Amino acid sequence: MTSENTFRFDDGAGDGAEQPAAQAVPEDTVRAVDEQMRDIAEVPAIEVITTAAVHLMSAAAVKCGLAAGEDAQELKDLDEARKLITALAGFVTAAAPEIGSQHAAPLRDGLRTLQLAFREASAYPDKPGQGPGEKYTGPVS
């Protein structure tokens, strides 16, 4: 791709004037993206799904105040944790039939642990069935 690339932009004037492309993409960047696409194409779906779930779990754990460092309490943000846990619950619930029980069980266990950690970290715990993600998982105790 070069900076001389153009595209048609309809600004409503109906003149169909060509405008310069917003920004040229260097060839090495295009090659790097192509390589990443080839690499991701070789990764099984189960691995992509579990990796995404682990990222959500890790972020939720930090936001619940479970980080390993001395600044764990400073990183605690229960509003953010609620969002991450709810997203994780929906994700795991939706993915479970596709990935099978052998892969879903550890994800469900991790999710349950996070839901309980959230309840414990809350000054005013939610009622049973009202906690983060419980609309997808049912009440956690």
Side-chain angles (χ1 to χ4, degrees):
M1 299 180 91
T2 68
S3 61
E4 296 173 14
N5 290 338
T6 59
F7 65 95
R8 293 239 176 240
F9 176 74
D10 185 2
D11 60 1
D15 61 6
E18 288 189 357
Q19 302 292 323
Q23 186 174 356
V25 179
E27 291 247 356
D28 57 336
T29 301
V30 172
R31 276 193 294 271
V33 170
D34 285 345
E35 286 177 30
Q36 289 175 347
M37 285 191 304
R38 277 191 297 275
D39 290 345
I40 198 73
E42 296 171 9
V43 178
I46 186 76
E47 192 172 324
V48 174
I49 292 167
T50 55
T51 299
V54 169
H55 283 293
L56 286 168
M57 282 183 191
S58 298
V62 169
K63 299 296 184 177
C64 281
L66 301 175
E70 293 178 17
D71 60 348
Q73 290 306 306
E74 293 173 26
L75 299 173
K76 184 175 168 179
D77 184 338
L78 295 181
D79 183 52
E80 290 288 302
R82 178 181 296 276
K83 293 171 187 170
L84 290 163
I85 294 169
T86 299
L88 175 63
F91 186 70
V92 170
T93 300
E98 301 298 324
I99 64 176
S101 61
Q102 112 185 41
H103 296 286
L107 297 178
R108 285 189 186 115
D109 290 344
L111 170 59
R112 182 176 179 278
T113 300
L114 286 168
Q115 289 171 312
L116 293 172
F118 181 91
R119 180 171 289 141
E120 187 174 310
S122 298
Y124 303 100
D126 297 311
K127 294 178 184 176
Q130 301 295 312
E134 289 185 359
K135 67 181 177 182
Y136 301 111
T137 64
V140 176
S141 57

